[in-house]
Amino acid sequence: MASRGATVGPAVRSAGLSVLVLAVLCAVWEAYKWIGERAEIRWPFPVNERTMPHVHDMVGQLFEPSRRNGPLLIDVLLDAAAFTAKEAAVGFVLGASVGFLIAVALSQSRLLQRGFLPYIVASQTVPILAIAPMVVVGLGSKGVTGWVAVAILAAYLTFFPVAINTLRGLQSADPRALELMHSYAASRWTILWRLRVPASLPYVFSALKISATASIVGAIIGEAPSSIQEGLGGAIVNFNQYYSLEPRNLWATNIVAAALGITFFLVVAGAERVVVRRAPENVA
Amino acid sequence: MSTVVQPVPRSFGRTIGRRFRDWLPALVVFVLVLVAWQGLVEVFNIRQFLLPKPTAILGALRDNRSDLWSAGIVTFKEALGGFAMGSTAAILVALVLARWRRVGGAIMPYAIAANAVPIIAFAPITNNWFGLLNPMSKMVIAAVLCFFPVFVNTLRGLTSVEPASIELMRSYAAGEIETFRRVRIPNALPFIFTGLKVASVLAMIGAVVGEYFGGPLDALGVVIQNNVALFDFPLAWAGIIVASAFGIAFYAAVAVAEHFLTGWQPAADSRSD
Amino acid sequence: MSAPPAAVSLAGVGKTFGKGAVRALEDIDLAIAPGEFVSLIGPSGCGKSTLLRIVGDLIQPSVGDVIVNGKPAHRARLDHDYGIVFQSAVLYDWRTVTKNISLPLELLGWSRGRRNERVREMVELVELSGFESHHPWQLSGGMQQRVSIARALSFDPALLLMDEPFGALDEMTRERLNMELLRIWERSGSTIVFVTHSIPEAVFLSTRVVVMSPRPGRIAGIVEVDLPQPRGAETREQPRFFELVTEVRERLAGSGAATAPTEPALVTEERV
Ligand SMILES: Nc1ncnc2c1ncn2[C@@H]1O[C@H](COP(=O)(O)OP(=O)(O)O)[C@@H](O)[C@H]1O
Ligand SMILES: [Mg+2]
């Protein structure tokens, strides 16, 4: 209901505030490093140039050539981020769709819920990423390309929050509205689309925000041990090997990974704003 | 009119009976899936790459149970340490932010955004901080993973108190500390447990996956990874099952604690999440 | 010896919410003697709850003085001079009936033995024996409200503030609780300030009915209720009862309440 003029102000202010918060975090980092190096802090870990590079060095590293006469590190990492984003996005869409369908199916029958819900919950205790290479190789032997296999891993992490939250959302429909629908002799299908699905939207979006992050995690970690070199996970494994020589590369990569995660999250949060006008914040 | 809602009488046998009927469908699904899986692998003679036969996995589990168990314990200790650190920090920060609400409101969006950072990708860095073999390197990852769900839920629980409940305390001239102790914290308990249950699962996952970027040879994540590398998939799957079992047991332990500490709730299972 | 100080004395009290946006109360002057049962009646939104909260020092008046038991309202709150009962029972789900009632006693630092004894008396007083270890959600609305009354009375406050305590109950439960409240009042000898929007309830219970006008809330008139004590079911059938009901109704109408658009009570959904 705020007028245009009133919305621009807060947007600018919150952007300014974000910069401020970021600056404070960097300052804390630098201060800890400064003190740590002089006081020779050894606990919980030794503070030095290797464990805690300067913030400006980490960022600066992005604008150094990645290798002699090669492209800038940031170009390399942006390419890698795009590759990982593709895996994550495909995994996200796949996982979210599957999660949504599972929820719709389970919402139709208590028996199905009793039969499958425990396994859906238990599935999250399976550290699937620990067998990422097995999955990638296994799917590869069925003719699935590497990045698609990674997308499937990302989907595995994505589907769960969506399935659980959507189910809860579908069941959250106002009982009185349900009774009303029944009094119209509305079909299951009508009730589902007219009542349950709209009621579930805020729940779905709060799950999608969680899933956005999960899909990035799935993509990065899925790549890492699977010798897929083109993405951020590959870059992390690669730079990790040279950490003692050049710690700033790994840090720079992780900064990009963090930025990618936050971007994904913000995209979904933005979509939520558009779709669910006034989502009750308490279903997050 | 003034009908009294009596608590459902809970005879032990009845409870067990109901429990069993509730779980029966899940049990049926379990058996059917196992049979189908075994059957498919045998009938179609699928190459045992991705999915070894359940019997093969069980065999590997049986033959290596003591190694897997001790590896599970190593990793579980990391998970437990991280869980304790992360949850404690989360609850303390939530208490502070619930007390100084304006600060909390200002920080919240950044906390939410920060949660979108793929934390596990930082495992190589914590490995370099603490050393590969130092359990602290995994604990920190697990702790950061645990922090957010516990923090968000605790803060929500501490601040979702009816205004009249607070006014009542004010009418008794109760101070801020009393109000937290007698209203906000009890009110938050079910929320805190919701967060802790999520965190328990994340802690175990974080520890196992953190070990992926290197860890002691006797840790579960490393054991799984090495067996994948050796193409011993039944054993790798057995390791996964052990990890999963530890995760489930951890979750169950938290749920039991919840049951004892928030037993006053109308319907523990419907409200807890 | 001078006369005992008024239980509540309001002088020139006014309250404005926001930046002068909502004038909730204006020029409230009222003195309530110890032992009185005073009802505040008026349409929704006329500032009854606000006035009660001001007396309880839960919010501050914009102007005016509030004296409770001969001291500033703030001091009175710190001295635990009053007990309050809200429209909803406001019980803590994690506490049993017993523990809900003993909450203020714990805060006052009473010993366990003394607490238990008092709680037992209170449970008997509000006729909840047998429900001591129930949790609030296991009780009906009327029983919850009785717990809330027992809690407010438990530490013997000289003053009881009640904000539409029976508003959410059905008519029959409400009439029974009205009787119980009168019985408790007679026994305890405390002063009661009772907010209601039910005219018969106000007349039946009170020694005086304060009629309030809609926004800004002012005192539109005071009706002395000269019905004999103790009151009972037959009180409601006396001609005098009907006369008084009519008088209050006319005062309300005269204050513009009847013509003012009725406005739903402020629903404070937000959580804090
Ligand atoms: N905290 C508040 N902030 C702003 N306005 C308020 C607040 N509390 C009450 N009001 C306003 O003051 C007026 C009186 O409210 P209240 O005392 O609750 O009325 P009553 O109890 O007689 O129904 C109403 O118009 C209400 O909207
Ligand atoms: Mg009111």
Side-chain angles (χ1 to χ4, degrees), chain B residues 55-117:
Chain B
T55 46
I57 297 174
L58 274 181
L61 198 56
R62 196 187 50 229
D63 297 342
N64 301 279
R65 58 179 177 276
S66 69
D67 286 353
L68 287 172
W69 170 255
S70 63
I73 292 288
V74 169
T75 301
F76 179 67
K77 280 183 182 159
E78 296 167 353
L80 194 61
F83 175 84
M85 293 187 329
S87 305
T88 309
I91 291 173
L92 291 179
V93 173
L95 282 170
V96 169
L97 296 192
R99 172 65 184 79
W100 288 280
R101 200 73 69 75
R102 292 178 130 232
V103 185
I107 287 181
M108 212 46 198
Y110 302 101
I112 291 171
N115 183 52
V117 172

Side-chain angles (χ1 to χ4, degrees), chain B residues 1-7 101 159-161 163 165 167-168 170-172 182-184 186 264 266, chain C residues 53 57-58 77 80 82 84 86 90 92 94-95 106-107 134-135 137-138 140 151 170 173 270-272:
Chain B
M1 204 172 54
S2 43
T3 41
V4 185
V5 189
Q6 293 283 5
R101 200 73 69 75
T159 53
S160 68
V161 175
S165 294
E167 276 200 326
L168 184 71
R170 248 179 82 76
S171 83
Y172 298 141
R182 297 184 195 267
V183 185
R184 292 196 186 275
W264 46 264
Chain C
R53 284 186 163 80
D57 186 46
L58 298 174
R77 177 169 68 86
H80 304 95
Y82 72 87
I84 190 163
F86 297 99
V90 194
Y92 297 157
W94 49 91
R95 286 176 170 251
E106 287 170 30
L107 289 164
H134 281 55
H135 282 274
W137 51 273
Q138 295 169 312
S140 68
R151 179 181 59 193
D170 62 89
T173 312
E270 99 233 43
R271 298 277 162 135
V272 291

